[in-house]
Amino acid sequence: MQSQTVLTKEQKNQFEMEGYVIVKGLFSKQELDEIGQTFQEISESVIPGYFEPDLSSESPDPLRRYPRVMHPHRFNETAKKYMLHQPVMSVLESLYNEAALAAQSMFYYKPPGARGQALHQDNFYLKVEPGNCIAAWTAIDPADEENGGLLVVPKTQQYDIVCPELSDSKESFTTHYVKPPKEQKPMPVIMEPGDVLFFNGNLIHGSYRNKTKDRFRRAFICHYANESATHIGKHYQPLFRADGSIVELIDNPDGGPCGFEFKSLYPH
């Protein structure tokens, strides 16, 4: 059975004070099974521009065989349906105090041995203005410290977007790293299948590698903008309302804290 889709006062306060909140059981087992089966089928093929595994890979890097799927809602109706999942959209409306617009979907397989993702801030990439992006990070499998569950740095939603440093390529499959403030430490987020972690676009977060030998850490991750936003990074057009209708915002060319010459290398 699915839990409530409207946040309590305490949950909203946690999001405001800490920058994130977990809402338990927003996806049913049947829905999780449908998502899992959909991406199992996707994993057996190459979809240029969205999912480009090396299906014959003998590389020691498991992410060669199981890279993340980018924007699956653009080619798969099941992904689009769950990007616009009504319980998720309801929570987002409660957090934004207005309707949300869906901007991006991703799916991470994170097989055993896979590197993590260095600490970063989402709105460095999405560039939602005015307002901010919010991520909805859905656990398909149990997510914990051993299999590379998410790390968050509480209260860093209060900090500005900063220019990333270079990450450790032995531990992170992405190249950007945002150093937390001295007084703030990353903490693990433990989640069960169907739980959704919502977090602010300025919150510093990432993940460690999957240290297990036999457990995937699959996650369906979507990013959203507030309906009153007017600008977003060009990689995220078009956006979608909860009813599936298309919204076009203005492409945001803002160079941010790194200036216009900085090469982001990849969309988030």
Side-chain angles (χ1 to χ4, degrees):
M1 180 178 294
Q2 292 174 173
S3 65
Q4 86 265 16
T5 59
V6 177
L7 297 187
T8 65
K9 182 178 179 180
E10 290 74 21
Q11 287 173 315
K12 290 193 70 171
N13 284 343
Q14 182 188 342
F15 186 83
E16 291 298 322
M17 298 298 295
E18 302 291 327
Y20 69 95
V21 65
I22 297 174
V23 183
K24 305 290 289 183
L26 277 187
F27 287 79
S28 68
K29 184 180 185 305
Q30 181 178 358
E31 291 163 343
L32 294 174
D33 288 346
E34 184 179 8
I35 294 170
Q37 179 60 36
T38 295
F39 284 96
Q40 177 60 38
E41 293 170 2
I42 287 172
S43 75
E44 301 300 328
S45 59
V46 174
I47 304 167
Y50 299 106
F51 180 63
E52 300 183 353
D54 181 350
L55 297 176
S56 61
S57 177
E58 297 181 1
S59 168
D61 180 4
L63 293 178
R64 291 285 298 274
R65 173 61 184 86
Y66 288 103
R68 58 183 173 172
V69 186
M70 300 296 289
H71 294 300
H73 68 278
R74 294 182 179 174
F75 64 85
N76 182 275
E77 286 300 314
T78 299
K80 182 178 178 181
K81 176 177 72 172
Y82 287 118
M83 180 179 72
L84 300 175
H85 191 47
Q86 185 276 324
V88 170
M89 299 300 285
S90 294
V91 170
L92 289 163
E93 185 168 353
S94 184
L95 293 174
Y96 276 132
N97 293 314
E98 61 177 298
L101 303 175
Q104 184 190 31
S105 62
M106 296 187 291
F107 190 87
Y108 283 53
Y109 297 94
K110 198 158 192 180
R115 289 171 291 167
Q117 186 169 9
L119 296 172
H120 62 282
Q121 297 168 293
D122 287 349
N123 211 40
F124 175 79
Y125 306 95
L126 277 88
K127 298 187 287 189
V128 173
E129 291 181 341
N132 208 327
C133 65
I134 293 178
W137 197 103
T138 301
I140 307 301
D141 301 310
D144 52 51
E145 294 179 75
E146 289 300 307
N147 71 348
L150 212 63
L151 297 163
V152 299
V153 185
K155 301 185 188 301
T156 50
Q157 83 283 359
Q158 301 169 0
Y159 291 84
D160 291 336
I161 297 292
V162 299
C163 186
E165 303 173 12
L166 191 64
S167 68
D168 179 357
S169 62
K170 294 180 181 178
E171 294 298 325
S172 174
F173 76 91
T174 53
T175 58
H176 295 167
Y177 168 69
V178 172
K179 187 176 181 178
K182 288 184 179 180
E183 68 277 13
Q184 302 296 99
K185 302 292 184 183
M187 58 163 281
V189 181
I190 310 302
M191 299 173 65
E192 294 298 324
D195 295 349
V196 182
L197 174 70
F198 295 86
F199 55 91
N200 179 285
N202 285 36
L203 188 81
I204 298 174
H205 66 285
S207 66
Y208 289 135
R209 70 167 52 245
N210 183 341
K211 295 179 286 187
T212 71
K213 296 186 181 301
D214 58 359
R215 295 170 56 209
F216 280 68
R217 190 231 63 187
R218 297 172 299 164
F220 181 60
I221 306 162
C222 297
H223 291 92
Y224 302 84
N226 45 294
E227 188 178 43
S228 60
T230 58
H231 291 68
I232 195 169
K234 65 180 180 179
H235 296 292
Y236 307 96
Q237 304 273 22
L239 290 75
F240 295 86
R241 296 185 181 90
D243 64 4
S245 58
I246 290 176
V247 181
E248 291 274 357
L249 302 185
I250 300 169
D251 287 348
N252 193 347
D254 181 15
C258 302
F260 287 96
E261 297 305 314
F262 183 80
K263 300 293 186 181
S264 64
L265 303 182
Y266 49 82
H268 181 268

